Amino acid sequence: MKQYDYLIVGAGLYGAVFAQEAKKAGKKCLVIDKRSHIAGNIYTEPVEGINVHRYGAHIFHTNNKAVWQYVNQFAEFNRYTNSPVANYHGEIYNLPFNMNTFNKMWGVVTPAEAKAKIEEQKKEAGITDPQNLEEQAISLVGTDIYEKLIKGYTGKQWGRPCTELPAFIIKRLPVRFTYDDNYFNALYQGIPNGGYTAMVEKMVDGTEVRLNVDYLADRENLNALAEKVVYTGPVDAYFGYKLGALQYRSVRFETEVLDTDNYQGNAVVNYTDAETPYTRIIEHKHFEFGTQPKTVISREYSAEWKKGDEPYYPVNDEKNGALYAEYKKLADAEPDVIFGGRLGEYKYYDMDKVIEVALDVAAKELK
């Protein structure tokens, strides 16, 4: 008889949701994580009384009412609205691209004038069937905005020129012909008061959690503890990279405490020129409307992932998609392992989607 019904590898959002649902179903789980903390990449830690998003900004947004009600069991959310700004050599523009952006860029005032300007630039560029990210971006917002606000930023983010990136990456970019600067078209949006770590703590409350445990280094002994495994780590690492490594983008953070109460006036400022080495600066206190005497900022540097780094964004191009499909066949052949989450499924998931999928999987598994 094994000690646990489920061994959950990873104390991030997917693992925490599964643990919560399994506990409600009367199952006994052990949650392990190789890091020294729970909450995965949404981990927040207090610095100078400010909840710092250690692995980059995480803003919860969803149109799924059931998911929104679910997370509100574990935290009260504030009314934070994501309205980043772009800094191009000291010129400040609104993101997402909206009438404020178009007015600053071209002096246009009406949506009709903005559309005409974009159409004119698209025609000049001669793009009818966009084949790459550059062409797709120009066809959406014109040459000026592409050159100033997309080209340098995207090149830094992905480590390759826009002409070498697939068009679909930019298709999710919001473009608005209104003065609305809310980045997400989501009905529900906010940040949990007190940070994400406190929210995840409530989700795993009553479940045994062990930290600083590397599953892949001690797989045999850990598997012996439970009937089934819920694995949220990288799928290629699980199989010892035997088909080759999937590609990710990684991010490096430089975080510092500053002796000022307000550094940049906004939670997120993107640096869109190619010369500035970082992609953006996060000022954490603005996520929770902080009034602390000091502030904490993080500069984000995008980097090519290599083994040993934290994988952040799957590079969902054709080549990696084909490789993942092969790993998925291997994963499906593991009868007692559930692969889940951004790394386990090699998908660019937003937080709400991770929760939705984990709830669906748990409902089928625990019925």
Side-chain angles (χ1 to χ4, degrees):
M1 184 67 181
K2 300 203 174 186
Q3 279 175 260
Y4 303 95
D5 297 297
Y6 294 94
L7 170 70
I8 300 171
V9 181
L13 212 38
Y14 190 104
V17 169
F18 194 96
Q20 167 69 205
E21 295 306 292
K23 187 186 78 172
K24 284 197 303 202
K27 302 294 184 186
K28 195 177 178 193
C29 297
L30 170 63
V31 177
I32 61 170
D33 203 292
K34 69 176 185 180
R35 288 173 171 168
S36 60
H37 59 75
I38 61 165
N41 281 3
I42 64 170
Y43 174 67
T44 48
E45 60 183 339
V47 179
E48 297 289 342
I50 297 160
N51 288 310
V52 170
H53 296 219
R54 193 200 281 183
Y55 303 97
H58 285 86
I59 296 119
F60 197 89
H61 57 97
T62 188
N63 283 311
N64 186 324
K65 192 174 183 180
V67 166
W68 182 245
Q69 288 171 336
Y70 185 82
V71 291
N72 273 270
Q73 297 173 87
F74 309 105
E76 187 179 73
F77 281 71
N78 69 18
R79 57 162 190 83
Y80 178 82
T81 300
N82 190 30
S83 303
V85 297
N87 182 323
Y88 177 79
H89 294 306
E91 294 173 23
I92 301 295
Y93 295 92
N94 269 122
L95 298 173
F97 306 133
N98 61 46
M99 285 305 299
N100 292 306
T101 322
F102 306 140
N103 174 263
K104 176 85 184 268
M105 188 70 72
W106 300 313
V108 299
V109 174
T110 67
E113 289 171 327
K115 286 176 182 173
K117 193 76 183 167
I118 291 168
E119 203 49 50
E120 176 194 315
Q121 295 194 349
K122 183 179 163 184
K123 203 171 273 181
E124 276 171 19
I127 296 160
T128 49
D129 180 21
Q131 294 301 304
N132 56 46
L133 192 147
E134 178 174 289
E135 293 178 357
Q136 181 67 53
I138 291 169
S139 72
L140 283 172
V141 289
T143 316
D144 292 341
I145 287 176
Y146 167 71
E147 289 290 341
K148 283 191 173 184
L149 304 184
I150 297 173
K151 186 178 181 178
Y153 183 86
T154 307
K156 288 188 289 191
Q157 199 176 27
W158 292 98
R160 36 186 74 73
C162 293
T163 49
E164 290 176 21
L165 289 165
F168 76 82
I169 291 178
I170 205 91
K171 281 183 178 168
R172 54 184 269 168
L173 187 78
V175 180
R176 300 212 182 95
F177 294 94
T178 66
Y179 287 91
D180 177 11
D181 64 354
N182 174 7
Y183 196 86
F184 299 119
N185 285 314
L187 194 54
Y188 309 104
Q189 184 175 172
I191 304 265
N193 291 321
Y196 286 100
T197 305
M199 180 181 92
V200 176
E201 263 168 13
K202 286 190 178 156
M203 290 171 138
V204 298
D205 187 38
T207 300
E208 187 183 342
V209 178
R210 295 184 200 168
L211 301 172
N212 301 301
V213 177
D214 186 342
Y215 170 74
L216 296 177
D218 193 22
R219 186 184 322 206
E220 209 171 303
N221 290 325
L222 290 164
N223 283 351
L225 298 174
E227 298 292 338
K228 288 188 92 167
V229 172
V230 177
Y231 177 80
T232 68
V235 63
D236 51 352
Y238 181 92
F239 293 104
Y241 304 102
K242 69 180 180 185
L243 305 176
L246 291 161
Q247 280 182 295
Y248 298 89
R249 292 296 289 168
S250 195
V251 185
R252 179 172 63 80
F253 301 95
E254 272 179 11
T255 298
E256 60 178 313
V257 178
L258 300 176
D259 204 4
T260 178
D261 66 337
N262 188 356
Y263 175 72
Q264 63 186 17
N266 206 49
V268 183
V269 176
N270 289 4
Y271 285 78
T272 59
D273 61 275
E275 293 75 28
T276 303
Y278 40 86
T279 52
R280 60 184 184 172
I281 296 180
I282 307 301
E283 188 169 8
H284 300 269
K285 73 190 306 177
H286 296 305
F287 290 129
E288 296 185 59
F289 316 111
T291 56
Q292 299 88 346
K294 293 189 178 183
T295 196
V296 183
I297 64 163
S298 297
R299 293 180 186 85
E300 292 189 14
Y301 297 81
S302 190
E304 201 69 43
W305 175 85
K306 58 188 186 306
K307 284 177 195 173
D309 294 343
E310 287 298 339
Y312 282 86
Y313 306 107
V315 180
N316 291 134
D317 59 13
E318 212 171 300
K319 177 172 73 101
N320 285 290
L323 180 56
Y324 170 66
E326 295 305 307
Y327 275 120
K328 174 91 167 67
K329 288 176 195 167
L330 296 179
D332 290 344
E334 297 273 312
D336 297 323
V337 184
I338 295 164
F339 291 81
R342 188 182 272 208
L343 302 180
E345 297 173 65
Y346 198 66
K347 272 190 184 150
Y348 187 93
Y349 274 143
D350 284 328
M351 287 182 282
D352 64 323
K353 192 66 185 170
V354 171
I355 291 168
E356 186 186 313
V357 171
L359 286 171
D360 286 349
V361 169
K364 289 184 188 116
E365 175 67 24
L366 300 163
K367 66 177 182 230

